[in-house]
Amino acid sequence: MQELCDLTVHVDEQHTFLLHQRVLCSFSGKLKEMVSRERKRSQPKGSGVGIMEFPGGACGFELVSRFCYNNGSIAMTPSNICLLHCSAILLEMTEEVSSCNLLRQTETFLDGVFHWTWNDILTALKSCEPFFPIADSCGLLQKLVSSLLAKIAANSEMPLLSATPFPSSSSSSSSPDASGFRCSSSTKTPEPMKPCSNREWWFDDLTILAPTTVEKIMKTLGAYGTDNKNLVLTRFLLHYLKTVVQRPCSGVGCGNLGHCKEEYGGLADTAVHGVALMGRTTFSCRGLFWVLRVVSGLGLSKECRQKLERLMGLVLDQATLDDLLVSGHDGGVYDVNLVLRLVRIFVSTEEGGDGSSSRRMKKVGRLTDKYLGEISPDQSLKVSKFLEVAESLPDSARDCFDGVYRALDIYLESHPTLSAEERTRLCGCLNYEKLTLEACKDLAKNPRVPPGAAVQALVSQHSKLHLGTDVAHPSRTPAASPESPHEKEQLKLSLQRIQCRVKELEKACRNMKGQMSKMVKTKSLTHSNRGMPRLC
C-alpha cells in the first residue's frame, strides 16, 4: 500500500511540507528532477528535497501545492499572479510536463495586464518586492512597469518623455511655492509644461513602491542617474524621497533606519542630477535648501552633494537665516560645516567683482553675522569653528562688526569655562576700527572680554577720532565733527578707567605671585625639617 505522504520538501530551511510525490511531480519538472536525483543518493522511501529562496517563501509554496492538489486549477488575482508566475518558472511547471500547466495559465492571465485597473497594477508591482530579482529576470516586472506607464500616459495631459527638461532661458522668475519650485512667467512655455504646475495625480500612489521598483521605472524611461533630464520625473523623485524621509523604515531585512535609507542612494543621486541640470532657472534658493534636507540622509554620493552645494553657494545672498539652520549630523545642533562650504563657494565666485558683487557680499556678511549669533549658544560649538565662521568672509564684506561682537558676547556668556587664552583668540576676529562707539563702550565694560582686548578696542576708537579731527577742515563747526565733545570726553574717561583696571590687575597678579612663592618656600622648609632625622 502506497504511503500517504512520500515527499518531504524543505523550503528555505525553515518550513517543511509533507506531500504526495505523484501529485507534485506530475506538474513540476524541477521537483521531478530533484526527487530522481535524491533517490540515487539515498533510500527511495521518505525522499526529501530542499528549495532555497522560493518566491513568497512557505506561503508561495503552499499556493503552488494547492494548485497541484486541485488538479491544475487555482483562482488568480492581481495580488497572487506574480507569485504564481515566478513559482511556475522556478519549478518548471511547463507544457512539457503537463498540458494543464501553471506557467501557461499565468501567462494568459498576464496578457490582459494592459486592461487592468490602476490599483490592480500597483498591487501586482507591490507583490513582486519580496522576490524582485526573479520577477525582474523573467521579464514580469518590465511588463508591469510598461502597463503602469501606459496608464500614466493615457491619463495625463503631457506624456512623461515629452516633459521639457529646460525652462526657457528668457523666462523670468517669481517667488518659490511651498515645494521650493519656482514658476516661470514666460509666455513661450505652454501651460502644462510649466515647472510650477500642480503635483501630478500619480505621485502619491507610487510612494508605496520599493526603491528598486522605482529605479526600474526610471530606467525604463531612460532617466536614471546622469540620464535624468526630465523636470516632472525630478519632481516625482523629490516627492517620493520626501515621503520616505517622513516615515520609518519598514522594509524586510532592514536592521536599522540608516541601513534602510541607504537603498535610496541611487534615486537621491538621480534627483540631484535633475536639479543640477535645471539649476537656478527652476529652483529658488529656498528650494535648493529643501532639496538638500530631503536627500542628505539618503545615501547621496559625494559628487552629487558637491553639485547641489555649488548651486546653493552661488545664490547664498538670497538665503534666509531659517535656510541656514540645517540640523547637524556629527553631534552638533547645526551643520556648521555646510554653511562654511557654502560661504567659501560664494566668496570664491564673488571676490574681486563689481559693485553688484560688493552689495551681494555685504548681504551675505549680514546673514553670516545673524547665523553666528544663532549658533553661539550651542555647547558643542568649538572655539575654532566659531572663528572659522566669523573669519570666512573678507573684511570688506562687513561695514560694521557690531554683529560679530554680539555673537561673540553670546558665545562667551554660553561658554563660561573658556580660558583667558581662548577668550583672547576669539576677540581676534573683531575689527575694532569697524565697531560703533556704543559697541566699543559695551566691550570696555564687559567682564567677559579680556582687558587687553578692551584696551585695544578703545585705542582703536581713540585713533579713529584723532584721525577724523586731523583730516577735518579747520573751519568745520563742532556740529559737523564725527563725534560730539561729550562723547569724546566719555571715550577718554572710559580709556582711563580701563587703563587703571589693567594696572590694578597687573599689581594684583604680582602680589599673588609673591605670596605664592613665599608659600612654596615655607612649604619646602617644613617638608625638609620633617624629613631630617634626630642626631640625639
Side-chain angles (χ1 to χ4, degrees):
M1 184 176 178
Q2 191 175 6
E3 294 183 7
L4 290 176
C5 297
D6 54 354
L7 175 62
T8 303
V9 180
H10 305 284
V11 177
D12 296 336
E13 296 182 346
Q14 294 181 351
H15 304 275
T16 302
F17 290 83
L18 300 176
L19 305 164
H20 293 86
Q21 178 182 310
R22 179 186 57 79
V23 175
L24 270 292
C25 293
S26 62
F27 288 97
S28 170
K30 182 72 174 177
L31 279 175
K32 190 174 183 179
E33 179 187 340
M34 291 172 73
V35 169
S36 176
R37 191 164 55 244
E38 185 67 22
R39 276 183 174 176
K40 292 177 182 178
R41 292 189 303 176
S42 61
Q43 297 297 325
K45 293 186 178 182
S47 301
V49 295
I51 304 175
M52 296 299 296
E53 297 182 359
F54 192 84
C59 294
F61 190 79
E62 182 181 345
L63 201 62
V64 172
S65 300
R66 289 181 182 277
F67 170 83
C68 298
Y69 277 96
N70 203 30
N71 293 322
S73 175
I74 194 169
M76 296 183 185
T77 64
S79 61
N80 68 13
I81 186 63
C82 297
L83 181 58
L84 289 170
H85 183 73
C86 292
S87 300
I89 293 174
L90 184 68
L91 294 177
E92 298 176 6
M93 303 175 78
T94 61
E95 191 78 30
E96 289 77 12
V97 181
S98 171
S99 57
C100 186
N101 63 88
L102 182 58
L103 183 61
R104 187 178 63 184
Q105 292 183 42
T106 56
E107 287 176 344
T108 303
F109 189 90
L110 287 167
D111 284 342
V113 69
F114 286 92
H115 303 291
W116 290 5
T117 65
W118 172 257
N119 287 335
D120 286 345
I121 297 171
L122 285 178
T123 300
L125 273 171
K126 187 71 179 170
S127 70
C128 289
E129 291 172 6
F131 45 93
F132 182 89
I134 301 174
D136 190 25
S137 62
C138 70
L140 173 61
L141 204 62
Q142 184 63 55
K143 181 178 285 191
L144 293 172
V145 167
S146 298
S147 64
L148 181 85
L149 296 176
K151 288 287 182 186
I152 293 174
N155 294 278
S156 301
E157 295 179 8
M158 174 184 58
L160 282 178
L161 293 177
S162 65
T164 178
F166 300 106
S168 173
S169 58
S170 61
S171 343
S172 59
S173 304
S174 66
S175 60
D177 65 3
S179 300
F181 294 100
R182 181 177 290 168
C183 303
S184 169
S185 58
S186 170
T187 55
K188 296 180 180 179
T189 307
E191 187 67 28
M193 297 172 72
K194 283 187 180 180
C196 59
S197 57
N198 291 331
R199 191 168 63 207
E200 299 293 335
W201 61 269
W202 46 272
F203 278 17
D204 285 329
D205 291 339
L206 265 57
T207 57
I208 66 168
L209 300 177
T212 49
T213 307
V214 176
E215 283 183 13
K216 183 70 177 179
I217 294 171
M218 298 298 292
K219 288 174 181 176
T220 301
L221 290 168
Y224 186 74
T226 55
D227 295 327
N228 179 24
K229 301 174 183 178
N230 191 297
L231 178 61
V232 174
L233 293 177
T234 299
R235 290 175 57 214
F236 160 67
L237 284 179
L238 291 172
H239 176 74
Y240 175 81
L241 295 172
K242 180 191 74 171
T243 307
V244 168
V245 169
Q246 292 173 347
R247 69 187 178 201
C249 174
S250 58
V252 177
C254 289
N256 55 68
L257 186 60
H259 174 72
C260 174
K261 289 190 174 180
E262 288 297 322
E263 300 174 1
Y264 296 87
L267 295 177
D269 284 356
T270 302
V272 170
H273 278 302
V275 171
L277 197 63
M278 295 162 219
R280 291 172 286 172
T281 56
T282 305
F283 291 85
S284 65
C285 180
R286 174 157 292 185
L288 293 172
F289 274 95
W290 175 80
V291 171
L292 180 70
R293 283 183 170 92
V294 169
V295 301
S296 60
L298 297 175
L300 186 68
S301 68
K302 185 177 179 181
E303 178 194 358
C304 288
R305 177 175 283 276
Q306 289 173 345
K307 278 187 178 182
L308 184 57
E309 287 181 2
R310 176 160 181 79
L311 277 179
M312 295 162 66
L314 294 175
V315 291
L316 191 60
D317 59 308
Q318 300 173 22
T320 64
L321 179 59
D322 286 341
D323 294 333
L324 298 186
L325 299 178
V326 179
S327 300
H329 302 290
D330 53 355
V333 179
Y334 302 111
D335 193 347
V336 180
N337 290 324
L338 167 67
V339 176
L340 282 170
R341 291 194 297 269
L342 298 182
V343 172
R344 288 177 189 131
I345 292 168
F346 181 83
V347 170
S348 66
T349 55
E350 294 294 326
E351 210 167 15
D354 54 10
S356 174
S357 295
S358 177
R359 287 192 297 273
R360 295 180 68 202
M361 185 76 78
K362 288 177 180 178
K363 194 173 179 182
V364 172
R366 291 190 294 272
L367 177 64
T368 305
D369 291 351
K370 290 179 184 176
Y371 179 73
L372 202 56
E374 191 70 28
I375 66 173
S376 292
D378 181 8
Q379 294 298 308
S380 62
L381 184 66
K382 296 180 180 178
V383 171
S384 58
K385 198 60 67 177
F386 181 96
L387 289 171
E388 272 190 78
V389 178
E391 297 170 351
S392 59
L393 289 164
D395 196 63
S396 58
R398 296 182 178 97
D399 291 327
C400 177
F401 268 70
D402 285 15
V404 181
Y405 168 65
R406 283 192 292 271
L408 173 63
D409 189 28
I410 295 170
Y411 187 81
L412 292 174
E413 186 177 6
S414 305
H415 300 74
T417 58
L418 292 176
S419 65
E421 183 184 354
E422 288 174 321
R423 291 169 185 269
T424 304
R425 274 183 63 203
L426 285 165
C427 291
C429 69
L430 294 173
N431 184 338
Y432 299 112
E433 294 180 358
K434 288 190 175 184
L435 285 174
T436 62
L437 183 61
E438 290 74 16
C440 199
K441 288 177 182 177
D442 186 78
L443 187 149
K445 294 182 291 184
N446 194 334
R448 292 180 287 273
V449 175
V455 171
Q456 194 175 350
L458 288 172
V459 168
S460 297
Q461 284 290 326
H462 195 61
S463 302
K464 189 165 66 172
L465 287 173
H466 276 295
L467 183 62
T469 306
D470 292 341
V471 299
H473 195 272
S475 62
R476 187 171 182 173
T477 61
S481 64
E483 304 288 347
S484 66
H486 176 69
E487 289 179 330
K488 289 182 181 179
E489 190 63 29
Q490 288 291 323
L491 181 60
K492 195 175 293 184
L493 290 171
S494 296
L495 181 58
Q496 289 171 356
R497 279 196 300 267
I498 201 69
Q499 286 172 340
C500 290
R501 182 182 163 201
V502 171
K503 288 177 181 177
E504 288 173 2
L505 288 170
E506 288 175 348
K507 186 177 179 181
C509 187
R510 283 196 298 270
N511 292 336
M512 288 177 67
K513 283 182 179 177
Q515 290 174 8
M516 287 178 69
S517 61
K518 288 179 183 178
M519 290 172 64
V520 170
K521 287 178 182 177
T522 305
K523 195 172 182 181
S524 62
L525 286 171
T526 305
H527 278 292
S528 62
N529 290 336
R530 285 178 182 174
M532 290 288 289
R534 289 188 178 185
L535 298 175
C536 59

